[in-house]
Amino acid sequence: MLVGIVGKPSSGKSTLLNALCLTDAKMGDYPFTTIQPNRGVSFVRVECPCGSLNEDCNPRTGFCEGGVRYVPIEMLDVAGLVPGASEGKGMGNKFLDDLRQAHALIHVVDSSGTTDEEGNKVESHDASKDIAWLNSELEAWIFQILFGDWQKASRRLEQDPTKAVDLIVDKLSGLGATVSIVKDAIKTAGLLGTNPRVWTVDEQKSMAHNLRLELFPMVIAANKMDMANSSQNIEKMKVEYKELKIIPTSGLAELTLRKASEDGIIQYKLGSDSFSFQVDPETDKRSKILEAIGERILQQSGSTGVTVLLEFAVFELLNLIPVFPVENQTKLTDHDGRILPDVFLVPKGTTAKQFAGKIHSDLQDNFINAILITDNNKPISADHELGHADVVKINAKSK
């Protein structure tokens, strides 16, 4: 699972990546600080079934604290996007090409309005406009990939226009297009039953728009939320973009808290609304900054917004749920005796047999049934849809 961090230069993308992942991506207040994409690993929180046991679990990846499982998510921060990127401006199509792998996007917007579209310092910029032009660039990119040579590519549809779905899937396979996504885009655009060879430019643009929504689900990080003009800009964004989830965030505040926690100055958990000093505040030069973060951000907003942001992307945009596989249904262990070692994030609606295939193809091929341990060890069939935080044992035929 890969979540991409996008936005214009100097919006705080690299700071957000560092806050989420404790990486060392280069940060700066000038355009194109990031040239090559930066990667890191962050975590989303899941209630762990080990809370009902007398023993701690043994995660193979991530970690568990106080019955909360921290599940790793891979992050990607790419070079800043500027208007005209789809035509080669700024980092141009290289930026866009870096996004091909992302399953969801976090669009970082400078909600303070102190940087223009290209990341240069200004006194007042309409931050809501950054949402519009970034979406337009993504759609122009998709449009060019799909329809740039449409007259030539669509000749294969002369004998059978119904093959349009297959053609579009082929052309957008690098973006993760599937038959169901393309069919939904055609239906939403009102183009069912029409001849793809004679789609107008407006109809093609409608297709690009619908495909962008499906291929790149997005949440808005209204970053720098504690600055002077941020509140009014955030409210304006929420009014103009009711269809989007806009989450006030401060990547810098989260990064400051996490580094102070790592250094043993404070005790702080991801997504928390408070922290506690582990040393005498009078002895640490960061104490005044930390106290200001506590008063101006944590107390007023409930968190820095950073963990909320990522968890919305994973659990709402991507509609994923955690499922825990075990081999021993009594002890909740694997064959080596490790308690609840694994947790898989799978799409809501995943069946027991489909889940078996995510563990190993042999389990899916030889599937008999499964035991739903979180429902009093209830046997379930292949087509039973799993639920949030289910603990499951897969039974399969021996080879």
Side-chain angles (χ1 to χ4, degrees):
M1 187 55 55
L2 181 65
V3 176
I5 300 176
V6 301
K8 70 184 184 183
S10 302
S11 59
K13 300 185 310 301
S14 296
T15 303
L16 183 65
L17 178 78
N18 291 340
L20 281 164
C21 309
L22 279 183
T23 47
D24 293 315
K26 188 176 180 182
M27 304 185 311
D29 59 355
Y30 51 89
F32 302 114
T33 307
T34 300
I35 302 299
Q36 297 299 323
N38 297 305
R39 286 181 179 262
V41 175
S42 189
F43 301 92
V44 293
R45 299 165 297 179
V46 171
E47 184 178 355
C48 185
C50 75
S52 63
L53 303 174
N54 294 323
E55 298 181 77
D56 294 333
C57 61
N58 312 115
R60 204 187 311 270
T61 59
F63 59 99
C64 189
E65 287 183 352
V68 178
R69 191 73 162 253
Y70 291 82
V71 184
I73 299 292
E74 191 175 7
M75 309 294 300
L76 176 73
D77 162 41
V78 300
L81 181 69
V82 299
S86 58
E87 299 170 0
K89 293 182 181 178
M91 295 300 293
N93 286 309
K94 180 186 183 306
F95 162 91
L96 295 164
D97 212 47
D98 288 335
L99 292 181
R100 287 179 184 271
Q101 310 157 69
H103 299 96
L105 299 180
I106 294 173
H107 178 188
V108 183
V109 175
D110 177 2
S111 67
S112 71
T114 55
T115 50
D116 65 15
E117 291 95 337
E118 297 186 355
N120 301 302
K121 289 185 177 181
V122 294
E123 291 186 3
S124 180
H125 170 69
D126 186 351
S128 63
K129 290 183 177 179
D130 293 340
I131 299 175
W133 67 251
L134 189 138
N135 289 345
S136 295
E137 289 299 330
L138 290 174
E139 289 172 19
W141 178 49
I142 293 170
F143 181 91
Q144 182 59 34
I145 294 172
L146 181 54
F147 296 113
D149 63 344
W150 188 244
Q151 284 304 309
K152 178 181 178 182
S154 63
R155 285 176 188 164
R156 60 193 261 194
L157 304 179
E158 289 177 346
Q159 301 302 319
D160 189 358
T162 63
K163 296 293 185 181
V165 170
D166 294 336
L167 173 59
I168 295 172
V169 170
D170 286 346
K171 290 180 74 64
L172 298 179
S173 60
L175 304 185
T178 63
V179 169
S180 61
I181 285 175
V182 172
K183 284 183 175 180
D184 285 346
I186 292 174
K187 181 178 180 180
T188 306
L191 297 174
L192 278 178
T194 63
N195 186 346
R197 296 212 71 211
V198 295
W199 283 345
T200 66
V201 172
D202 285 343
E203 288 172 335
Q204 292 176 348
K205 287 182 177 179
S206 179
M207 274 292 295
H209 170 75
N210 294 324
L211 287 165
R212 190 264 301 171
L213 294 175
E214 292 285 341
L215 295 171
F216 297 108
M218 185 183 298
V219 58
I220 305 299
N223 199 32
K224 308 180 186 180
M225 67 176 179
D226 54 321
M227 295 184 69
N229 297 321
S230 296
S231 294
Q232 64 189 52
N233 288 333
I234 291 171
E235 288 309 309
K236 186 174 186 291
M237 282 188 275
K238 288 181 176 179
V239 169
E240 294 187 11
Y241 294 94
K242 291 184 175 66
E243 74 280 8
L244 292 174
K245 182 69 172 180
I246 297 172
I247 299 177
T249 59
S250 175
L252 184 58
E254 179 72 17
L255 180 59
T256 302
L257 291 169
R258 290 200 66 187
K259 283 189 173 295
S261 180
E262 189 179 49
D263 293 342
I265 306 303
I266 61 173
Q267 184 177 34
Y268 172 73
K269 291 185 177 180
L270 297 178
S272 179
D273 62 356
S274 63
F275 63 86
S276 58
F277 279 99
Q278 299 298 97
V279 300
D280 184 349
E282 298 296 326
T283 65
D284 192 271
K285 61 184 180 181
R286 286 175 282 184
S287 61
K288 291 191 181 301
I289 295 174
L290 293 167
E291 287 171 347
I293 291 173
E295 293 172 5
R296 294 173 55 191
I297 296 179
L298 299 186
Q299 289 181 17
Q300 293 184 26
S301 302
S303 77
T304 64
V306 170
T307 301
V308 175
L309 184 74
L310 180 58
E311 290 179 345
F312 181 86
V314 172
F315 298 125
E316 300 297 330
L317 284 184
L318 296 176
N319 210 19
L320 301 181
I321 59 171
V323 179
F324 296 79
V326 297
E327 292 186 41
N328 186 311
Q329 66 193 70
T330 303
K331 297 181 179 180
L332 304 188
T333 58
D334 65 4
H335 63 278
D336 293 321
R338 290 173 293 199
I339 299 172
L340 295 164
D342 299 308
V343 56
F344 287 75
L345 295 176
V346 299
K348 192 177 291 184
T350 295
T351 66
K353 187 171 182 179
Q354 288 170 337
F355 181 68
K358 293 182 181 297
I359 302 170
H360 198 285
S361 59
D362 287 347
L363 289 178
Q364 185 172 33
D365 294 340
N366 299 288
F367 183 92
I368 299 174
N369 70 357
I371 305 298
L372 189 56
I373 298 165
T374 38
D375 190 7
N376 297 314
N377 294 321
K378 174 184 175 182
I380 56 176
S381 62
D383 60 357
H384 178 94
E385 292 186 4
L386 299 175
H388 184 90
D390 276 347
V391 181
V392 180
K393 171 181 167 58
I394 303 296
N395 292 319
K397 299 174 186 175
S398 299
K399 280 189 171 184

